[in-house]
């Protein structure tokens, strides 16, 4: 039977303690010395963690305990872990909170609420998958998932199936392969990461994984997970029975927005926010994976699921929530996202920002792309690593997208492309950007600038 206790009060309540919630709480506390903040999350044992690091726990690059983090105990901060918000009443500004272990229910009166509830893994409709969970099959989004996989590997797993060839699927597949596991990575799509990487760039990543021993199956649906003796024994892929002893599901995520259902405007389950991170309900902000947020790209609102986006949105939401609760006017503005991301698949770095070519052409039929190969260092200097740079521009020459696959240095170059997109820079100007140079670190004619020159030349030929 549920027990009820008198309600408590706080100025700002943050629901969820991922990247967005952590930074929302931090910024709210730092923005005003008078603000009391409460954070609510059902997690127990540790405060928060770095999900993007989880694939690298499987090959020993980082320990599982190292990706867990604690929020400092502060006088104006109340951590309410092991609890979940079951109801949000925006009229009375009260949230109902249940203790996960005891089912005790309390109410919390707030001034402003920040919803940063993140996302949960998608569980595809595959026969036998739900029955296989905990018996050799798992999703992969928490430290507990990683510990479960490592425990299974210690029992001598030789063959594994990874469902989904997105970023996480690729990183997990490579990590397992490094441990000597025979890996099949299957995806029902003709090529992974549509809307993020063009097919020609994805093929480079797929080729790298195949060379590393990963069996990539595209255009191949996983139809059934097989159990024998209470454990995973195989799977049907495209009508073929494949023996596997472990299944890792990396098939995307969906927003945890149910607490706001019927209270705010949503798009396909994502919470619509403005540039202040305000929802359509007064007194409620949202940040992170749960949001559909403004973007300078011609796509309307963007949903990224990126930690780098979540923390920025959390900063804006936390600052504005603190300003509002003390009677000020929320002034912080989120600049929008161009979806810039980077991934590391073994020695290969993969990164993209903005629109892929198909999306760019849908927005502007005159859009075009150029691609070139270059080296991170001058030809005469040892240690240079090859990379392929692709720049996507609209019909006027403005940079709207970029993709890079190669060795060391990919990630910082994609950040420059992202800045060009944010600022509306054209390929003419990008080709003249000043870059730091010293032979042990870079070439005077950087591959990024070389690609911009090619785009500029193509644009001039079209005029």
């Amino acid at each position: 039977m549920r027990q009820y206790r008198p309600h408590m009060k706080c100025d700002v309540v943050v629901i969820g303690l991922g990247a967005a919630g952590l930074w929302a709480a931090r910024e709210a506390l730092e923005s005003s010395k008078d603000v009391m903040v409460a954070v609510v999350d059902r997690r127990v044992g540790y405060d928060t963690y770095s999900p993007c690091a989880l694939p690298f726990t499987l090959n020993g690059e980082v320990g599982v305990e190292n990706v867990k983090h604690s929020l400092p105990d502060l006088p104006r901060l109340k951590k309410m872990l092991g609890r979940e918000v079951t109801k949000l009443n925006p009229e009375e500004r009260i949230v109902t909170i249940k203790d996960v272990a005891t089912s005790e229910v309390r109410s919390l009166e707030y001034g402003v609420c920040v919803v940063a509830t993140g996302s949960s893994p998608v569980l595809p409709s595959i026969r036998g998958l739900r029955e296989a969970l905990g018996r050799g099959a798992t999703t992969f989004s928490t430290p507990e998932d990683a510990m479960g996989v490592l425990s299974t590997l210690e029992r001598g797993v030789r063959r594994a199936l990874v469902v989904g060839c997105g970023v996480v699927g690729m990183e997990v597949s490579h990590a397992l392969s490094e441990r000597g596991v025979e890996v099949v990575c299957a995806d029902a799509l003709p090529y992974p990461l549509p809307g993020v990487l063009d097919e020609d760039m994805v093929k480079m990543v797929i080729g790298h994984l195949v060379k590393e021993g990963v069996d990539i199956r595209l255009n191949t649906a996983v139809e059934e997970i097989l159990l024998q003796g209470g454990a995973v024994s195989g799977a049907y892929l495209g009508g073929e029975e494949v023996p596997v002893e472990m299944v890792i599901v990396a098939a995307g995520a969906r927003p945890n927005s149910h607490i706001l259902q019927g209270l705010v405007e949503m798009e396909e389950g994502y919470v619509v926010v403005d540039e202040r991170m305000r929802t359509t309900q007064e007194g409620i902000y949202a940040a992170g994976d749960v949001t559909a947020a403004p973007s300078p790209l011609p796509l309307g609102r963007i949903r990224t699921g990126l930690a780098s986006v979540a923390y920025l949105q959390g900063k804006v939401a936390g600052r504005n929530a603190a300003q509002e609760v003390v009677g000020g006017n929320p002034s912080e503005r989120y600049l929008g996202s161009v979806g810039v991301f980077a991934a590391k698949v073994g020695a290969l770095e993969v990164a993209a920002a903005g629109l892929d070519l198909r999306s760019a052409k849908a927005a502007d039929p005159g859009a075009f792309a150029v691609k070139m190969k270059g080296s991170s260092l001058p030809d005469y200097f040892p240690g240079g690593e090859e990379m392929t740079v692709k720049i996507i521009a609209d019909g006027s020459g403005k940079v709207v997208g970029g993709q890079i696959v190669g060795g060391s240095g990919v990630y910082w170059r994609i950040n420059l492309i992202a800045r060009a997109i944010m600022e509306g820079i054209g390929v003419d100007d990008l080709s003249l950007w000043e870059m730091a140079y010293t032979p042990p670190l870079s070439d005077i004619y950087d591959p990024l600038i070389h690609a911009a020159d090619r785009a500029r030349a193509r644009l001039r030929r079209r005029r």
Side-chain angles (χ1 to χ4, degrees), residues 114-138:
V114 178
V115 176
T117 42
S119 59
S120 295
V122 169
L123 205 60
S125 297
I126 300 172
R127 288 194 305 274
L129 177 57
R130 292 185 181 276
E131 292 80 4
L133 293 175
R135 301 178 180 181
T138 181

Side-chain angles (χ1 to χ4, degrees), residues 235-268:
Y236 274 103
L237 313 179
E240 175 189 355
E241 183 176 349
V242 177
V244 295
E245 300 147 84
M246 180 168 63
V247 176
I248 298 177
V249 179
R254 59 168 57 91
N256 296 326
S257 58
H258 58 277
I259 194 66
L260 290 175
Q261 196 70 42
L263 299 178
V264 302
E265 182 184 352
M266 293 190 183
E267 286 182 356
E268 299 179 349

Side-chain angles (χ1 to χ4, degrees), residues 48-346:
T48 189
Y49 67 99
S50 299
C52 300
L54 292 176
F56 307 101
T57 65
L58 301 184
N59 62 1
E61 286 191 56
V62 63
V64 175
E65 292 302 316
N66 296 103
V67 307
K68 299 176 181 178
H69 314 296
S70 295
L71 194 61
D73 293 317
L74 301 170
R76 294 183 289 113
L77 174 66
K78 183 174 182 61
K79 293 191 288 186
M80 305 179 70
L81 303 182
R83 297 172 174 85
E84 64 179 346
V85 173
T86 59
K87 185 178 180 181
L88 198 160
N89 183 338
E91 301 299 326
E92 298 183 22
R93 302 213 175 186
I94 291 176
V95 293
T96 302
I97 301 171
K98 184 179 75 172
D99 188 299
V100 175
T102 67
S103 294
E104 177 186 80
V105 175
R106 304 182 73 174
S107 58
L108 175 66
E109 185 178 343
Y110 67 86
V112 176
C113 176
V114 178
V115 176
T117 42
S119 59
S120 295
V122 169
L123 205 60
S125 297
I126 300 172
R127 288 194 305 274
L129 177 57
R130 292 185 181 276
E131 292 80 4
L133 293 175
R135 301 178 180 181
T138 181
T139 53
F140 196 78
S141 64
T142 68
E144 290 74 26
D145 292 336
M147 288 297 293
V149 171
L150 289 169
S151 177
T152 302
L153 290 171
E154 288 172 1
R155 296 200 292 269
V157 167
R158 293 171 297 171
R159 295 175 292 272
L161 167 65
V162 177
V163 182
C165 296
V167 171
V168 175
M170 290 180 181
E171 290 176 340
V172 167
S173 294
H174 188 273
L176 292 176
S177 180
E178 282 190 308
R179 291 184 62 115
V181 178
E182 294 178 24
V183 182
V184 176
C185 185
D187 202 304
L189 296 173
Y191 71 94
L193 299 172
V196 178
L197 286 177
D198 292 325
E199 187 173 3
D200 58 335
M201 302 296 279
V202 170
K203 284 180 177 178
M204 299 179 199
V205 188
I206 297 299
H208 174 75
L209 282 167
V210 170
K211 287 181 181 178
E212 295 291 316
V214 178
D215 182 359
I216 302 292
R217 308 276 187 100
L218 300 179
N219 257 331
T220 304
V222 179
E223 298 149 342
E224 185 175 3
I225 306 300
L226 304 175
L227 293 173
Q228 184 175 348
V232 168
S233 61
Y236 274 103
L237 313 179
E240 175 189 355
E241 183 176 349
V242 177
V244 295
E245 300 147 84
M246 180 168 63
V247 176
I248 298 177
V249 179
R254 59 168 57 91
N256 296 326
S257 58
H258 58 277
I259 194 66
L260 290 175
Q261 196 70 42
L263 299 178
V264 302
E265 182 184 352
M266 293 190 183
E267 286 182 356
E268 299 179 349
Y270 291 85
V271 179
V272 173
V273 293
D274 65 11
E275 62 182 7
R276 313 289 179 191
M277 304 313 298
R278 295 174 295 201
T279 70
T280 51
Q281 178 68 248
E282 186 178 352
I284 299 179
Y285 292 75
D289 292 4
V290 77
T291 66
S295 170
L297 299 173
L299 294 174
R301 301 180 184 91
I302 193 169
R303 315 140 184 185
T304 68
L306 297 170
S308 51
V309 170
Y311 108 90
L312 288 175
Q313 292 184 353
K315 289 174 72 172
V316 173
R319 292 173 184 176
N320 285 336
Q323 290 173 14
E324 180 176 330
V325 83
V326 297
N329 184 35
S331 61
E332 294 292 328
R333 186 171 68 90
Y334 176 58
L335 299 178
S337 171
V338 295
V340 58
F341 89 97
K344 190 172 185 292
V345 183

